[in-house]
Amino acid sequence: MNYTRMVIEKEAPEEYGYDRIRYNLSESSIADQKLSDIGLSLPDLTLFYGEHRGDKELRALIAAQDEAISPDDVLVTAGAAGALFIISTSLLSERDHLVVVRPNYATNIETPRAIGCAISYVDLAFEDRFAVDVGRVAAAMQPNTKLISVTCPHNPTGTMMDRADLDALVALAESRNCHLLVDETYRDLSYGRRLPSAASLSRRAISVSSLSKAFGIPGIRIGWLVTRDETLQEQFLAAKEQIGICGSVIDEGIARGMLERRDGFLATLLPEMAKRRDIVQAWIDREPLVDWVRPEGGVVGFPRLNVDPGFDLDRFYTNLLEDHGTYVGPGHWFEMPKRFFRVGFGWPTEAELRGGLDAISAALRQ
């Protein structure tokens, strides 16, 4: 493994310093929750080695979201990042090939790079509303392709595939004898339609999710992967056991309590996040220098700056942060041009969101 730090982590707000940021629009989750916010308190747990696959009740709660999924199909991991690491290191080697629909969550690219895996990219285009072209994915595949990697709802654009495209990707993986990885971290934050978990559709599909983004509890480091392939599940379990044996019984206890409250939590959250999305939409409607593809899920969007080729983008981001105290995720975090940036509308307060958007307009004209 040849590890290199990811740009998105090197430039994360916690690295820069939260105290230096007034309007933090760079976060990709809802606001961080306290135990009291979600009505939880820590029970008097026995601090033993937990179940290697993850707490049975927790896995049952995860599996219950899709009829075709059983608790045995679920492996609880250290966040979605832990799940993605297990998948990449289990399935890929320097002799294998991966197709990544880009932009994508950074771990889905950097871990295969560290392995030395060959990667082909299928880049999404603003002009196509960031829609996945399954034909281009098929054309990028090679005889040694082991994995196709996508996110849905998409990070960082917030766009979603339709069911026909998801089915087509599943069929493609089945026909080419490879696996389809779908990072579904924002699935619970779908506005309107909600796609089924990819793993529920085929033994060739692997789904990944977590409680970090949609539920605002990244500090407990709980994610999961789902596969209905028993042999593959056993391989993933072996990887987890060699990395850390099991998860934290404290973290899994909190996660269980969160998912027991899932429906009520989301019933309150989704209308609020839809309102935040409308705030960004209203700003874009009156800001001629910015455009976006309206997100259909998640709490991030990927606006594009409509500026002249000579516009100094580096200076813009510097001024935005240093003069206006506003942080966004510039396009290079996602290996995209700097005229794009990720804006997170779920983490800041409504007042901070509005202040940050106004600051972007001011910096564009500075």
Side-chain angles (χ1 to χ4, degrees), residues 3-4 86 97 154 159 187 215 217 219 240 249 257 275 342:
Y3 291 111
T4 301
I86 286 172
H97 176 256
H154 187 251
T159 56
R187 189 165 75 110
F215 294 90
I217 47 176
K240 178 185 176 182
V249 296
K275 176 186 175 184
R342 187 180 71 183

Side-chain angles (χ1 to χ4, degrees), residues 221-298:
R221 308 310 305 137
I222 290 291
W224 56 86
L225 63 82
V226 182
T227 175
R228 292 162 53 206
D229 184 325
E230 296 89 349
T231 301
L232 197 58
Q233 183 66 260
E234 194 74 5
Q235 186 178 358
F236 292 157
L237 174 60
K240 178 185 176 182
E241 288 173 332
Q242 292 178 43
I243 293 169
I245 303 176
C246 63
S248 159
V249 296
I250 297 174
D251 289 0
E252 292 184 1
I254 296 172
R256 187 173 61 245
M258 181 78 252
L259 287 183
E260 288 170 346
R261 294 158 173 77
R262 172 183 175 274
D263 291 347
F265 183 81
L266 292 175
T268 300
L269 179 69
L270 279 166
E272 175 62 25
M273 293 303 102
K275 176 186 175 184
R276 302 288 190 84
R277 180 182 59 161
D278 288 343
I279 290 172
V280 183
Q281 183 68 64
W283 170 70
I284 284 177
D285 289 343
R286 63 177 184 269
E287 176 49 80
L289 298 181
V290 184
D291 197 4
W292 76 342
V293 177
R294 183 177 171 87
E296 297 177 82

Side-chain angles (χ1 to χ4, degrees), residues 184-210:
E184 301 171 349
T185 298
Y186 290 117
R187 189 165 75 110
D188 278 318
L189 284 179
S190 300
Y191 305 111
R193 62 193 174 95
R194 182 175 182 265
L195 289 173
S197 174
S200 71
L201 304 177
S202 171
R203 289 166 56 87
R204 281 283 164 187
I206 306 165
S207 296
V208 168
S209 192
S210 82

Side-chain angles (χ1 to χ4, degrees), residues 60-102:
L61 287 164
I62 294 167
Q65 298 179 37
D66 293 275
E67 289 185 3
I69 301 300
S70 77
D72 289 340
D73 300 326
V74 178
L75 181 67
V76 179
T77 60
L84 297 173
F85 183 86
I86 286 172
I87 293 165
S88 289
T89 54
S90 298
L91 293 181
L92 301 174
S93 73
E94 67 277 2
R95 300 179 301 277
D96 298 315
H97 176 256
L98 163 71
V99 177
V100 174
V101 175
R102 185 174 60 177

Side-chain angles (χ1 to χ4, degrees), residues 93-136:
S93 73
E94 67 277 2
R95 300 179 301 277
D96 298 315
H97 176 256
L98 163 71
V99 177
V100 174
V101 175
R102 185 174 60 177
N104 205 307
Y105 184 63
T107 302
N108 286 323
I109 297 174
E110 292 299 342
T111 302
R113 280 180 179 160
I115 293 168
C117 175
I119 307 175
S120 293
Y121 301 101
V122 176
D123 288 330
L124 303 179
F126 184 93
E127 292 75 16
D128 299 327
R129 301 189 63 79
F130 298 118
V132 176
D133 186 330
V134 180
R136 291 180 59 212

